[in-house]
Amino acid sequence: MIRSFLRDDDLTPAEQAEVLALAAKLKAQPYDHKPLAGPRTVAMVFDKPTLRTQASFAAGIAELGGNPMLVDGALAGIGKRESVADVARVLGRQASQVVWRTYAQSDLEEMATMSGVPVINALTDEFHPCQLLADLLTVQEHKGGLAGLTVAFLGDAACNMGNSWALAGVTAGMHVRFGCPEGYAPDAGVLEQASALGAATGGSVAVTTDPAAAVEGVDVVVTDTWVSMGKEDEAAARREVFSPYAVTEDLVAQARPDAVVMHCLPAYRGSEIAAAVIDGPQSVVWDEAENRRHAQKAVMAWLQAHVGQPGKTG
Ligand code: NVA
């Protein structure tokens, strides 16, 4: 069975730990591991804006010995000019893996079903699992481990990053607290799945509308833009509803003194995060941005190694 990485819980807790360990190894020795030698081509398809994802995948694929092939989503017109299934069959004949940033998770799933090669989620409306591997790698580097740590996610938790933190954080055995307005919690089904995962890993999820309660004593403070890609029409209303959840110096002061602050970027200083926080001593956002490359290299190497091997167990 071909393995893909479409959502955070596609990796079991043991597999997630294995991929993170590989990411740390690849970070230490970036040019020694060439599982895409040939070079094998990895197709990168973007239907939404990108900076970090395109840059880190392109650099990472090259470091693995492969050939990054950029497919412009606007030109390809996937789902409009031709069906997802037909595009999948074509890309699967040219590329060893497909990396896709798009809107609907169901389209990504169809790409994985029809392409015959591993498919990697480079962000959908529902999940952003590559970002989460980079985030977990960053926390691991700064805190020495993951299990048992508490993270507060502030602001718009009803987005890809909120859902992914719930699944990936609990998979790693972390306690994930969401501080968000009524109606902006992660997807209810995802929260249930995360809670169920916690029975095995010791992790947990909790949701509160009180931002101070969310950050009280936490090890990690996370936020994301209040206006995700595709939500631009709601920008004014969102600024109003999320303003009490801004990550300010006062709010961060309620976390542990050694807490780290993360943001997947792009960041809007003065909205979801204060300039003094993102540019301050507790911010690890540039490590987080760099770690996209190392984490994604680990995913690609891991998926390539599992082509033709039995499916997920345990
Ligand atoms: N929630 C954000 C993440 C950006 C990396 C968005 O979807 O735009």
Side-chain angles (χ1 to χ4, degrees):
M1 188 190 108
I2 302 284
R3 295 288 298 270
S4 282
F5 187 48
L6 308 183
R7 41 185 282 162
D8 307 83
D9 56 351
D10 281 345
L11 296 177
T12 64
E15 289 170 347
Q16 184 197 65
E18 193 187 330
V19 170
L20 289 173
L22 179 57
K25 190 172 141 197
L26 293 175
K27 184 170 182 175
Q29 301 199 309
Y31 311 115
D32 292 354
H33 194 52
K34 308 276 183 204
L36 299 180
R40 289 166 189 267
T41 290
V42 176
M44 308 182 297
V45 194
F46 294 99
D47 292 337
K48 289 183 179 183
T50 178
L51 168 68
R52 275 152 298 283
T53 303
Q54 182 179 332
S56 56
F57 266 109
I61 292 161
E63 287 178 10
L64 292 175
N67 169 48
M69 180 173 73
L70 183 60
V71 177
D72 183 328
L75 286 178
I78 305 174
K80 299 182 191 101
R81 189 165 159 265
E82 48 192 324
S83 68
V84 174
D86 285 1
V87 172
R89 285 184 278 228
V90 170
L91 290 180
R93 295 295 182 100
Q94 304 295 346
S96 294
Q97 297 190 17
V98 175
V99 172
W100 192 16
R101 166 168 291 188
T102 193
Y103 295 85
Q105 186 74 14
S106 55
D107 285 344
L108 189 78
E109 283 162 11
E110 190 172 7
M111 178 74 79
T113 306
M114 300 304 294
S115 66
V117 296
V119 172
I120 298 174
N121 181 349
L123 181 146
T124 59
D125 291 344
E126 281 116 311
F127 299 104
H128 196 4
C130 288
Q131 181 69 55
L132 257 291
L133 288 177
D135 287 9
L136 295 179
L137 180 64
T138 308
V139 174
Q140 197 165 270
E141 286 172 352
H142 286 271
K143 296 283 161 204
L146 295 171
L149 295 180
T150 303
V151 53
F153 184 106
L154 273 295
D156 181 16
C159 75
N160 39 29
M161 285 298 295
N163 289 335
S164 277
W165 258 107
L167 290 181
V170 174
T171 297
M174 298 175 81
H175 304 290
V176 187
R177 284 187 210 155
F178 295 97
C180 54
E182 197 78 49
Y184 290 96
D187 177 80
V190 167
L191 286 176
E192 260 176 47
Q193 287 159 349
S195 291
L197 274 169
T201 66
S204 65
V205 278
V207 180
T208 172
T209 54
D210 179 350
V215 296
E216 180 68 41
V218 298
D219 304 283
V220 183
V221 179
V222 183
T223 191
D224 183 14
T225 178
W226 292 336
V227 186
S228 282
M229 291 178 273
K231 301 276 184 201
E232 291 79 5
D233 292 354
E234 302 170 17
R238 283 174 165 264
R239 258 191 289 281
E240 182 135 346
V241 74
F242 290 122
S243 63
Y245 300 86
V247 176
T248 59
E249 284 178 293
D250 283 353
L251 198 61
V252 172
Q254 324 252 346
R256 281 176 58 101
D258 62 353
V260 293
V261 177
M262 311 220 304
H263 190 310
C264 62
L265 305 172
Y268 300 92
R269 289 169 174 78
S271 290
E272 77 276 3
I273 193 161
V277 173
I278 192 167
D279 299 321
Q282 288 172 271
S283 168
V284 295
V285 300
W286 309 117
D287 291 344
E288 191 184 355
E290 176 188 334
N291 282 341
R292 293 293 302 278
R293 181 168 88 260
H294 309 301
Q296 289 156 191
K297 283 177 69 180
V299 172
M300 291 184 281
W302 192 89
L303 290 173
Q304 201 62 35
H306 284 75
V307 170
Q309 289 191 12
K312 172 170 149 179
T313 52

